[in-house]
Amino acid sequence: MSCTLFISDLHLDPQRPATTELFIRFLGDRARRAGALYILGDLFEAWIGDDDDSAHTVTVCDALKSCTDTGVPVFIMHGNRDFLLGGRFTQRSGARLLDDPSSIDLYGEQVLLTHGDLLCTDDTQYQDYRREVRTRGWQQAFLARSLDERRRLAADMRDASYSAQQHKPENITDVSSAAVNAIMQQHGVRQLIHGHTHRPGIHDFSLNGVAVKRMVLGDWYSGSSLLECTPRGCRLESPVTVQPGPSNRP
């Protein structure tokens, strides 16, 4: 039976080689048996520009290209860590960039996809930062720097983000119910899939008297998380099942 796979928040980084290895094996095994793969943001811990020529970047892009060359469509959405992914990345990987948010037809049902950070509206400090770094001026100025400068700045930004998160109440860093309701009503959907919060789960609730569902993807920091959808429904899986062994490496 055909299936569609959704993952998010892998945060691939050379300092976490086991996660990268798991993802490469996943692309060489489980992903190739899917009808489509959606990566809903933060594939990378940081993306400093499409001209990044590091060995880690080349390895991941090559693995994605090997998967897409088999005919499996792979869609990638910008996250809060890799919002600079662009056209050269799609050429290298064969993946297609997906707008945030995007509505797709999933076995006859319109489903809304988003990374999830847009829904954390109670975190006003983060939303101000998000608006700034998504401006054309900020991105042009950042990309005009050398690769070494960008790597240092990206590391500083990650440290600042981690420090800020440690001092925020848990409810501030989660999605806002009002924002969830508003975006689902705006797009006229009964199902929403997102990541970002690293709090996997499937939430059933009522919106204007209609039964609706919010499906949250987990991260791949210490394990892995995947949502598999078929015409019969969706199932959240953790950890992700892939065949072991180097023979599955693309």
Side-chain angles (χ1 to χ4, degrees):
M1 177 181 291
S2 173
C3 72
T4 303
L5 304 178
F6 299 88
I7 58 178
S8 179
D9 298 282
L10 287 83
H11 294 268
L12 300 181
D13 187 283
Q15 298 181 20
R16 289 192 290 270
T19 303
T20 301
E21 174 64 23
L22 176 63
F23 179 59
I24 290 172
R25 288 195 285 113
F26 167 77
L27 290 175
D29 172 58
R30 187 80 177 270
R32 297 193 186 197
R33 293 183 268 121
L37 169 64
Y38 289 83
I39 305 173
L40 301 187
D42 285 355
L43 171 61
F44 295 95
E45 174 70 6
W47 187 259
I48 60 172
D50 284 5
D51 56 340
D52 183 7
D53 56 359
S54 68
H56 181 260
T57 294
V58 171
T59 297
V60 174
C61 287
D62 286 350
L64 282 165
K65 188 66 166 61
S66 182
C67 182
T68 58
D69 279 349
T70 67
V72 177
V74 176
F75 301 90
I76 297 182
M77 185 173 283
H78 287 142
N80 52 292
R81 298 297 184 92
D82 52 13
F83 54 86
L84 290 173
L85 291 170
R88 287 175 61 185
F89 165 76
T90 62
Q91 291 175 0
R92 294 166 68 180
S93 66
R96 313 174 203 177
L97 286 178
L98 197 64
D99 289 338
D100 184 4
S102 285
S103 180
I104 66 167
D105 184 308
L106 186 63
Y107 307 113
E109 176 85 18
Q110 285 300 119
V111 176
L112 188 65
L113 310 178
T114 181
H115 174 55
D117 57 336
L118 278 172
L119 305 175
C120 299
T121 52
D122 291 335
D123 191 347
T124 56
Q125 182 184 35
Y126 169 73
Q127 294 299 330
D128 289 342
Y129 161 81
R130 187 186 191 279
R131 280 188 289 271
E132 178 185 5
V133 299
R134 298 300 179 102
T135 62
R136 189 177 188 85
W138 188 95
Q139 295 186 7
Q140 286 179 335
F142 181 82
L143 292 173
R145 298 174 179 269
S146 70
L147 279 171
D148 285 342
E149 286 181 292
R150 280 180 264 159
R151 289 190 180 101
R152 287 194 295 270
L153 284 171
D156 290 344
M157 291 165 67
R158 288 197 303 272
D159 290 344
S161 173
Y162 179 78
S163 177
Q165 291 294 103
Q166 303 312 300
H167 298 91
K168 291 178 181 177
E170 187 171 306
N171 65 299
I172 294 294
T173 58
D174 202 355
V175 299
S176 158
S177 296
V180 169
N181 293 348
I183 200 170
M184 293 184 75
Q185 290 182 90
Q186 177 186 350
H187 291 270
V189 298
R190 295 183 300 174
Q191 296 188 48
L192 169 69
I193 303 174
H194 72 83
H196 179 66
T197 62
H198 301 192
R199 297 165 185 169
I202 297 180
H203 308 273
D204 295 292
F205 58 104
S206 178
L207 180 58
N208 295 331
V210 177
V212 298
K213 191 183 300 285
R214 179 170 68 93
M215 292 170 276
V216 188
L217 304 167
D219 63 74
W220 284 41
Y221 272 119
S222 55
S224 54
S225 175
L226 170 150
L227 184 72
E228 180 183 81
C229 295
T230 71
R232 294 186 296 193
C234 296
R235 178 176 64 93
L236 192 61
E237 180 182 315
S238 181
V240 175
T241 302
V242 295
Q243 294 298 321
S247 60
N248 293 305
R249 180 187 288 276

